[in-house]
Amino acid sequence: MEFTIYGKPQGKARARTFYNPRLGRTQSITPEKTVLYENLIKQCYMIADEKESWFNGEPLQMIISAYYEIPKSTTKKKRAEIMDGKLYPTKKPDADNIAKVICDALNKIAYKDDTQIIDLTVRKLYSADLPKVVVEIYEKEL
């Protein structure tokens, strides 16, 4: 199973916790930008879904490739190094936050729970065309 999320790669933002005096307790809220991105991930999966879901608890492998736009200010020399695969995007969001938002968004959509993922690879790469995230999910052969 493979699907693509077009747009700039985003990570999962930390939940904001605050004291709500009206309720007399603390509350945590997920930032709206994260909620919107999780919904986009779900939509992209459901559009590409070929009725493939893993709800039986089988172990899964996930490969996430985050493609970043090459900055316009990049010199010709650095652009050539990028195209040769010698330079990689070492910028935010962190690879673990990209994985977190995707794995959490697909809970109860693609699989029962993200604990089924036993093999996870996250790559950050540059792309000559549009920024995007490509997600591949496979049943893990043991």
Side-chain angles (χ1 to χ4, degrees):
M1 170 68 194
E2 181 179 314
F3 68 99
T4 303
I5 307 147
Y6 289 97
K8 186 179 169 189
Q10 294 181 36
K12 183 148 188 164
R14 190 169 279 144
R16 305 293 177 224
T17 304
F18 61 95
Y19 179 76
N20 186 334
R22 201 166 39 100
L23 298 176
R25 60 182 170 90
T26 59
Q27 276 187 296
S28 293
I29 57 166
T30 303
E32 185 179 358
K33 189 175 178 183
T34 297
V35 172
L36 291 173
Y37 194 61
E38 285 179 337
N39 289 336
L40 175 63
I41 293 165
K42 291 174 189 175
Q43 286 177 339
C44 291
Y45 173 81
M46 289 189 283
I47 289 169
D49 183 21
E50 298 162 359
K51 299 296 175 220
E52 185 134 25
S53 57
W54 296 273
F55 282 96
N56 296 329
E58 55 266 35
L60 301 175
Q61 174 185 17
M62 183 180 285
I63 301 169
I64 301 169
S65 302
Y67 293 93
Y68 291 80
E69 190 173 26
I70 300 171
K72 295 191 185 345
S73 61
T74 305
T75 64
K76 286 182 183 178
K77 181 182 174 188
K78 283 195 176 184
R79 189 174 292 272
E81 289 177 336
I82 288 169
M83 299 314 276
D84 289 340
K86 294 178 182 173
L87 280 180
Y88 297 93
T90 53
K91 57 184 179 178
K92 293 207 179 263
D94 299 346
D96 60 327
N97 289 331
I98 294 170
K100 182 79 175 143
V101 73
I102 291 170
C103 291
D104 286 353
L106 295 176
N107 272 336
K108 297 181 179 59
I109 304 286
Y111 38 75
K112 191 186 293 185
D113 189 72
D114 57 2
T115 57
Q116 291 174 246
I117 301 168
I118 63 163
D119 188 354
L120 176 65
T121 303
V122 182
R123 300 183 280 218
K124 292 168 61 173
L125 308 158
Y126 280 114
S127 172
D129 39 274
L130 297 173
K132 63 188 173 209
V133 178
V134 177
V135 180
E136 301 169 64
I137 307 170
Y138 305 101
E139 189 170 343
K140 182 69 174 176
E141 299 292 325
L142 298 176

